[in-house]
Amino acid sequence: MRFLHTIPFITVMMICLTVSVRADDFYVDAYYGCDETGDGSQDNPWQHLQFALDSIEGTAENPHTVYLAKGVYQRVDDIGSGITPGDYISIVGECANETRIHRLWLVQIEGFSISNVSLGYLYAGYIFDASIANCIFVDGIHRLVSAEVSDLVLSNCTFANIGPVFNIWHGSIEVRNGIFTQYNQIKTDSSTSSPVITYSLLDRNYPGEGNIVGDPKFVRPDAFDYRLRADSPAIDMGDPSDPVPPGYGGRIDMGCHEYPYAPVVFIESVSFHELSGNQNGIPELGETIQPLVTLCNYGEPATTMTIVFEIDHPVQEYRFGFRTVREN
């Protein structure tokens, strides 16, 4: 701040606090944010999610949204305590595959929502009017544990390779447009608290309207890529009453990721093969190098592909060879 020397320090702190609390949207970046000098703005984000949640207060009249950049978010002092948000807060991740919260504790709150993140252990106790959307629960013992919940809705979530998915004591939980694969069981501790699951893909029978059994056909589940391949039975099989994101077919899909009805070509890897030279993997003058670019095509098959190599030093003589690898 250029004007710190002309304004008393306590006055500056009060001004910053007033500005941030009145904002509706806040930003957190685990890699590039800073709690000490950040103000929660998009240009100057905080670093830790719990710090951001402790710095704002949502109300029914003035709810807040916290946007998370890609990264891992967890309390720095005690990994076992979990992130604890307050009332009328929405947490929105940048990408469910790359935005992760290890442990989330929802205790005595209302008006909360979270979307586009990968979640580990989730405890929901004495909550009202909460929703979880487009999230991934994956790997090992992670599961949702709930007690005394009212109207908790999980929509378009993927549950993969986990133990008992739910431990429900009391309350109501609804799962819609979900995918359950390689899970132990859907467990409840009360005969009156079974989750209501509809329009979901499971690997075993479970009662509920629109439920189907099958292989979701993920792109690369071994690499935690839970997008759907073109032949996935989950495509266009979600609740027909739910809105469909623009450009993504005539009906919403099951699971966290909507299948794109447009070619999305991206580079998966680039490697260099020395056809002649010292074989150290580094392109050098006098060597013949063959770049190998592996392309992946996600979405509908692309009809044409073009690769252009740009040579920075055209006065030298280079020999290029390449091949493409396409994955639909």
Side-chain angles (χ1 to χ4, degrees):
M1 295 183 181
R2 293 194 299 267
F3 304 108
L4 267 179
H5 63 284
T6 62
I7 304 176
F9 178 75
I10 188 64
T11 304
V12 173
M13 292 300 292
M14 291 177 64
I15 292 175
C16 292
L17 182 61
T18 302
V19 172
S20 64
V21 167
R22 288 185 178 180
D24 291 327
D25 298 338
F26 300 89
Y27 296 84
V28 182
D29 192 318
Y31 298 122
Y32 302 106
C34 181
D35 297 338
E36 289 75 19
T37 60
D39 57 12
S41 65
Q42 189 170 9
D43 294 331
N44 195 14
W46 289 312
Q47 181 181 20
H48 295 98
L49 176 56
Q50 190 62 58
F51 179 89
L53 296 173
D54 292 341
S55 302
I56 61 179
E57 182 178 354
T59 64
E61 297 75 21
N62 186 28
H64 298 308
T65 301
V66 178
Y67 292 95
L68 301 181
K70 297 176 183 179
V72 179
Y73 296 88
Q74 184 55 43
R75 292 181 65 103
V76 296
D77 54 346
D78 182 5
I79 196 170
S81 61
I83 298 294
T84 55
D87 296 337
Y88 299 101
I89 298 293
S90 296
I91 298 176
V92 180
E94 182 175 338
C95 173
N97 283 340
E98 301 181 63
T99 308
R100 179 170 179 81
I101 298 176
H102 281 308
R103 301 172 70 90
L104 182 66
W105 291 72
L106 309 179
V107 182
Q108 295 183 337
I109 62 173
E110 60 180 321
F112 172 80
S113 69
I114 186 168
S115 59
N116 301 336
V117 302
S118 172
L119 286 168
Y121 186 94
L122 171 62
Y123 177 84
Y126 306 99
I127 65 173
F128 303 91
D129 187 23
S131 64
I132 300 172
N134 299 101
C135 289
I136 299 174
F137 296 78
V138 65
D139 192 20
I141 63 172
H142 304 316
R143 61 186 182 272
L144 184 148
V145 180
S146 66
E148 296 292 347
V149 299
S150 178
D151 301 325
L152 173 61
V153 178
L154 295 95
S155 59
N156 288 94
C157 292
T158 295
F159 305 85
N161 191 28
I162 59 178
V165 182
F166 302 111
N167 280 354
I168 303 175
W169 300 325
H170 300 285
S172 61
I173 290 181
E174 176 187 351
V175 181
R176 188 173 66 250
N177 307 333
I179 290 180
F180 298 80
T181 180
Q182 296 180 323
Y183 60 94
N184 187 338
Q185 59 180 320
I186 296 175
K187 179 183 178 182
T188 62
D189 291 329
S190 170
S191 60
T192 62
S193 301
S194 297
V196 176
I197 300 177
T198 59
Y199 294 98
S200 296
L201 186 150
L202 305 94
D203 57 18
R204 69 203 71 173
N205 289 317
Y206 189 90
E209 183 178 2
N211 291 340
I212 61 176
V213 176
D215 180 355
K217 302 291 183 65
F218 293 129
V219 170
R220 291 188 63 189
D222 57 327
F224 304 102
D225 189 343
Y226 295 99
R227 294 173 298 169
L228 304 176
R229 292 187 178 274
D231 58 346
S232 172
I235 295 174
D236 290 344
M237 290 299 290
D239 191 330
S241 64
D242 285 353
V244 182
Y248 284 90
R251 181 169 162 181
I252 197 167
D253 299 341
M254 298 172 175
C256 178
H257 299 290
E258 194 77 6
Y259 179 78
Y261 280 88
V264 182
V265 180
F266 61 92
I267 296 177
E268 182 176 83
S269 63
V270 177
S271 59
F272 296 92
H273 298 272
E274 295 183 31
L275 302 183
S276 67
N278 58 11
Q279 306 299 317
N280 64 355
I282 302 174
E284 297 171 317
L285 185 63
E287 297 180 340
T288 302
I289 304 298
Q290 181 187 64
L292 176 60
V293 180
T294 302
L295 301 180
C296 276
N297 179 35
Y298 172 54
E300 292 298 290
T303 56
T304 60
M305 291 185 185
T306 302
I307 300 177
V308 177
F309 288 100
E310 181 176 320
I311 301 176
D312 292 332
H313 304 285
V315 296
Q316 302 292 343
E317 181 180 352
Y318 291 86
R319 293 171 54 195
F320 286 99
F322 64 88
R323 65 184 176 93
T324 63
V325 178
R326 178 182 296 177
E327 293 185 5
N328 291 328

